[in-house]
Amino acid sequence: MPAPPLPEPEKSLISKGIGLLLIALLFFTLMDVAAKKLGQSYAPAMVIWARFAVNLALVSLIFRGSFLKHARSRQPGLQLLRGAFQMATVALFFLAIRSIGLAEAAALTDLNPVLITLGAALFLGEKIGPRRVAGIFVSFLGALIILRPGAGVMDPAALFALAAAFTYAGGALMTRVVRHDSTATSVIWSAGVGTALSSLALPFFWQEVAPVDLPLFIAVGALGAAGQAALIVAFRHAPAGVLAPYGYLGLVLSSLWGWIFFAQLPDLYTVAGAAVIVLAGIWVWNAERRAALNAAAR
């Protein structure tokens, strides 16, 4: 049965949401490049702190006349949880890319669209069916191809990237839940929670920063702030299920930046595992889209 045409205003909002997601992925993958470069010389705790502290400084400057007004949340507990998920995602991913390539880390975190679908079923009231279960199972097979446990070649740092997929999915779902707060409120809370949590570890890892590296530290925070703002608005314009398949562009960008900036290309196992993950995610998304259309047509 052909899909009923969407009203023009709704179509426009969904297109904006997709465009903003793609912009967010561009910013986030460039942020990862800066973080990987800094991770070669500095402790991850410093890079993680810069990601959120620079973000907080920027939003404080932007909203300097109305910071406290925008910081008031209708759902402070959920914003705190969302910020913790995002802080964990950044920390885990930055730890991973110190030792493994951008493409490999991105491939493992690309489990998150399927995890978002599962999370929406478990926590947002959507029904779960055999298609989702099969897609999740196949996606994890793809992750195992990349990790190759027991083959004696698995880098433990890859497990950080795998864990980041779960925390990213949690943050994405929370972004959808706190949509009653303004974008400004969500950005402020993300920056504030991340800065507070990362500041707890900073004194134990601080080292002097070379002047030549200051632009990279600033770039990590600025790109992260811009990407986060774009992501928040994207999820407000379009449902998580619609945006999920477009998230795989991040893998393409990460592979490109890994080749350009670090002369790293994904190996055959990473390519094969990533293909399995992407295909499983797209299959689940397409199956769920058809199920939703059939339900709407009844």
Side-chain angles (χ1 to χ4, degrees):
M1 179 181 295
L6 290 170
E8 286 303 320
E10 186 176 346
K11 226 192 277 189
S12 176
L13 284 176
I14 289 176
S15 296
K16 286 180 182 177
I18 293 169
L20 285 165
L21 175 67
L22 300 184
I23 291 171
L25 292 172
L26 174 64
F27 288 150
F28 283 142
T29 54
L30 287 174
M31 175 190 72
D32 295 337
V33 171
K36 186 171 177 63
K37 283 186 172 292
L38 289 172
Q40 296 170 354
S41 304
Y42 299 93
M46 292 183 62
V47 185
I48 295 164
W49 179 83
R51 157 67 178 86
F52 291 102
V54 173
N55 189 343
L56 182 60
L58 287 174
V59 297
S60 298
L61 183 63
I62 292 169
F63 301 113
R64 57 189 177 277
S66 56
F67 183 87
L68 292 179
K69 173 187 172 184
H70 286 303
R72 295 191 188 98
S73 170
R74 299 177 185 178
Q75 303 162 290
L78 295 178
Q79 286 283 13
L80 180 62
L81 182 59
R82 175 178 164 274
F85 271 126
Q86 292 175 340
M87 160 69 191
T89 300
V90 171
L92 290 165
F93 195 82
F94 283 6
L95 285 168
I97 60 176
R98 287 190 84 198
S99 303
I100 64 176
L102 290 175
E104 185 179 353
L108 289 168
T109 54
D110 267 348
L111 282 168
N112 72 74
V114 173
L115 295 175
I116 289 171
T117 302
L118 174 62
L122 294 177
F123 304 112
L124 301 184
E126 296 183 15
K127 292 182 180 179
I128 186 168
R131 294 185 187 92
R132 286 177 172 173
V133 174
I136 292 164
F137 177 74
V138 173
S139 292
F140 276 103
L141 286 181
L144 290 175
I145 292 172
I146 297 171
L147 292 171
R148 284 172 283 168
V153 296
M154 185 181 78
D155 192 318
L159 296 178
F160 290 130
L162 185 62
F166 285 87
T167 55
Y168 179 92
L173 291 170
M174 294 307 301
T175 296
R176 190 72 177 156
V177 171
V178 299
R179 61 185 179 274
H180 298 298
D181 281 342
S182 69
T183 300
T185 301
S186 292
V187 169
I188 289 170
W189 273 80
S190 294
V193 172
T195 302
L197 293 177
S198 59
S199 294
L200 296 176
L202 187 64
F204 301 100
F205 298 97
W206 180 261
Q207 65 188 85
E208 187 176 352
V209 177
V212 70
D213 292 326
L214 279 175
L216 280 179
F217 275 102
I218 294 172
V220 166
L223 288 167
Q228 193 58 49
L231 187 68
I232 290 168
V233 181
F235 274 96
R236 286 189 176 153
H237 284 328
V242 172
L243 295 178
Y246 295 93
Y248 294 118
L249 178 64
L251 176 57
V252 177
L253 291 173
S254 293
S255 300
L256 178 63
W257 304 147
W259 173 55
I260 291 174
F261 293 104
F262 304 102
Q264 293 177 332
L265 286 173
D267 60 21
L268 183 60
Y269 288 97
T270 299
V271 172
V276 171
I277 292 170
V278 171
L279 290 174
I282 292 176
W283 180 74
V284 170
W285 166 78
N286 187 55
E288 293 302 320
R289 182 181 64 87
R290 288 183 178 180
L293 290 173
N294 290 335
R298 289 175 187 170

